Amino acid sequence: MTSPMETDEQLPNGNSSTVAAVATTASKTGKLAESLKLEHQFLRVPFEQYKKTIRANHRAFEKEISTVISGISDAADADLSRDDALHQLNSLVSRLQGLKRKLEEGSLTEHLQAQRCRTRLEHLESADVDNVSDWNAVRLKRILVDYMLRTSCYETAEKLAETYNIQQDLVDIDVFYEAAKVIDALKKKEVAPALAWCAENKSRLKKSKSKLEFQLRLQEIIELVRADQSIRAIAYARKYLAPWGATHMKELQRVMATLAFKSTTECATYKVLFEEKQWDYLVDQFKQEFYRLYGMTVEPLLNIYLQAGLSALKTPFCYEDDCTKEDPLSQEGFRKLAQHLPYSKQHHSKMVCYISKELMDNENPPLVLPNGYTYSTKALEDMAKQNHGKITCPRTGLVCNYTDLIKAYVS
């Protein structure tokens, strides 16, 4: 039988273990909650697509119903024979039947998109402290697929999703295929698909004060001027660009001036308008508007996550010629990613031996060579033992005696 004294002595240990376990769990839960805050785009994209489908179905319904009601009103007011009235009514019935089919198809599309939203919510809810490692592995794969889509590697993205067994509802392949049609057309110098996309999303683009449609219309005029079709260019400007005159008069005047300067001009102000890079600019502008419309980040998620890590590693030493190869920022690709990031705030510096990669501290103090380079005591002692008391600087090739080294003190 356990004595009261023994029980009292065991309780504090039991309580401390429980408290530690609870604290660890709470810490992991807090980190997971912070991590989930970064999944805004993951939920926003299917939701925006769902809303877009609802709006399109609603517009189609209103348009068809309005036409049918107008047809019935006209038939009632007109003095039609029995056969003509019957023909008119049959035509309206056929139109309503067509509307019914469209609404059924639209309803199915809405259902599939609502299911996608539900699947993504369930995926986020499945994130738990116990399976956070597996969940993060899936997230990394999603981010890689997103990167492939952003760089127009659509087939690779599909293969990647298939190889990783990622549900189609967890990636945005179909959404990016929608953008691919417009991007490919712009690369072929065709603006019709881009203008159709602008018309389809007119209200949203107007709210965000987008200039994409205006820029596309200006490029149409430039191409007409290039083809020496000045009359058509003027007619086109009167029809499509007059509404933009109040807010974008300077840009409009600059483009219309090309009618006088022609495509062969050497005047830098107007010559630049005829350069091929204007089409690249339109592609970039479309991508930004597309990302904004669906609530996506302009930068690929992979870049954002990498920059978050690089910001903690970036120091002035990373850009020196003798930066260690173990440092990610010794690679040109990572340096480019971190170019606009601030240097990390280091409250306490650490000295790492270039030879052994071990930390230099009071237990393993740094030793200074005559040329000013510093290495750890343990590494230099091992080198001296193997070379009869001689030390060779691995970076400059200087050879000296171990007795010539000076001890440095870390404060």
Side-chain angles (χ1 to χ4, degrees):
M1 185 174 179
T2 306
S3 67
M5 183 59 72
E6 289 175 338
T7 303
D8 290 341
E9 289 176 353
Q10 290 172 2
L11 280 175
N13 292 332
N15 287 340
S16 61
S17 300
T18 304
V19 170
V22 170
T24 303
T25 303
S27 176
K28 290 181 179 179
T29 303
K31 290 179 180 178
L32 182 60
E34 289 296 319
S35 181
L36 290 177
K37 290 180 180 179
L38 301 174
E39 297 294 340
H40 175 262
Q41 173 178 315
F42 183 63
L43 288 177
R44 178 79 181 272
V45 173
F47 182 64
E48 289 297 335
Q49 199 176 16
Y50 182 43
K51 289 199 303 181
K52 180 180 175 182
T53 303
I54 292 174
R55 286 195 298 268
N57 291 339
H58 183 68
R59 282 197 300 268
F61 173 78
E62 284 190 331
K63 182 179 178 181
E64 289 295 322
I65 290 297
S66 177
T67 303
V68 169
I69 292 173
S70 177
I72 294 172
S73 178
D74 292 342
D77 294 338
D79 186 14
L80 299 175
S81 65
R82 182 177 180 279
D83 291 340
D84 290 340
L86 187 61
H87 177 74
Q88 182 81 355
L89 290 174
N90 285 335
S91 175
L92 294 174
V93 168
S94 297
R95 192 152 194 159
L96 287 172
Q97 288 173 341
L99 176 60
K100 181 183 177 183
R101 286 193 298 271
K102 288 181 181 178
L103 290 176
E104 287 173 350
E105 292 172 2
S107 178
L108 179 61
T109 304
E110 288 180 22
H111 175 74
L112 293 174
Q113 290 173 352
Q115 179 59 40
R116 173 171 292 185
C117 294
R118 190 178 298 110
T119 300
R120 296 196 179 193
L121 280 170
E122 289 171 354
H123 176 69
L124 293 181
E125 290 173 352
S126 69
D128 192 84
V129 174
D130 297 329
N131 71 340
V132 67
S133 179
D134 294 336
W135 193 87
N136 279 330
V138 175
R139 170 195 269 178
L140 176 60
K141 294 167 185 175
R142 288 195 286 108
I143 291 171
L144 291 175
V145 172
D146 174 81
Y147 183 80
M148 293 299 175
L149 292 170
R150 301 279 191 131
T151 52
S152 301
C153 300
Y154 306 110
E155 292 183 6
T156 305
E158 282 194 271
K159 290 290 184 183
L160 202 60
E162 184 181 339
T163 303
Y164 287 151
N165 292 320
I166 301 176
Q167 295 182 52
Q168 289 296 316
D169 286 345
L170 298 183
V171 288
D172 302 313
I173 294 175
D174 57 333
V175 177
F176 276 92
Y177 267 125
E178 175 191 334
K181 296 174 183 177
V182 177
I183 293 170
D184 291 343
L186 289 174
K187 288 180 178 178
K188 295 175 183 176
K189 301 180 181 180
E190 299 172 4
V191 300
L195 289 171
W197 184 84
C198 289
E200 188 179 351
N201 300 281
K202 188 173 183 179
S203 60
R204 298 285 305 284
L205 293 174
K206 187 176 181 180
K207 286 181 181 178
S208 62
K209 298 181 180 179
S210 168
K211 291 173 58 178
L212 178 60
E213 183 183 351
F214 177 67
Q215 296 294 342
L216 291 168
R217 299 290 186 190
L218 291 183
Q219 191 63 38
E220 283 274 73
I221 292 180
I222 291 295
E223 296 306 314
L224 289 172
V225 173
R226 195 197 304 273
D228 290 328
Q229 298 183 21
S230 301
I231 302 300
R232 284 188 61 191
I234 293 170
Y236 187 91
R238 285 174 176 169
K239 183 176 180 180
Y240 295 109
L241 291 175
W244 299 86
T247 52
H248 300 86
M249 180 56 73
K250 287 186 178 179
E251 293 167 273
L252 182 55
Q253 287 174 336
R254 182 187 176 204
V255 169
M256 294 308 295
T258 59
L259 291 166
F261 283 87
K262 306 295 182 182
S263 61
T264 55
T265 181
E266 291 300 321
C267 180
T269 303
Y270 304 103
K271 184 180 180 180
V272 68
L273 297 175
F274 294 96
E275 293 179 355
E276 296 295 318
K277 66 181 181 181
Q278 292 297 321
W279 288 99
D280 296 331
Y281 168 73
L282 287 175
V283 170
D284 291 338
Q285 192 172 7
F286 167 75
K287 286 181 178 179
Q288 290 182 24
E289 295 295 345
F290 178 79
Y291 297 150
R292 188 180 296 115
L293 193 73
Y294 280 103
M296 299 181 186
T297 56
V298 176
E299 280 281 318
L301 290 174
L302 182 62
N303 288 5
I304 293 172
Y305 279 90
L306 285 174
Q307 286 174 333
L310 292 173
S311 65
L313 299 174
K314 184 179 177 182
T315 63
F317 178 74
C318 297
Y319 291 86
E320 295 184 5
D321 294 334
D322 57 350
C323 175
T324 175
K325 297 301 179 184
E326 282 75 12
D327 188 338
L329 282 159
S330 65
Q331 306 296 320
E332 188 59 35
F334 286 127
R335 285 184 176 182
K336 187 176 179 180
L337 267 180
Q339 184 176 0
H340 302 293
L341 299 175
Y343 290 114
S344 62
K345 189 176 182 181
Q346 303 286 347
H347 292 286
H348 302 286
S349 299
K350 294 180 180 179
M351 297 180 65
V352 178
C353 177
Y354 181 85
I355 300 172
S356 65
K357 311 305 179 191
E358 293 182 1
L359 190 66
M360 291 188 282
D361 52 19
N362 293 330
E363 300 296 326
N364 185 25
L367 296 177
V368 184
L369 275 63
N371 61 1
Y373 283 92
T374 305
Y375 305 100
S376 69
T377 299
K378 289 181 181 179
L380 294 177
E381 283 180 350
D382 291 341
M383 186 184 293
K385 288 177 183 178
Q386 296 173 13
N387 296 285
H388 309 289
K390 296 291 184 180
I391 299 296
T392 302
C393 179
R395 285 183 277 191
T396 64
L398 173 73
V399 179
C400 63
N401 295 319
Y402 183 80
T403 53
D404 295 333
L405 306 184
I406 301 173
K407 185 176 181 180
Y409 294 91
V410 180
S411 58

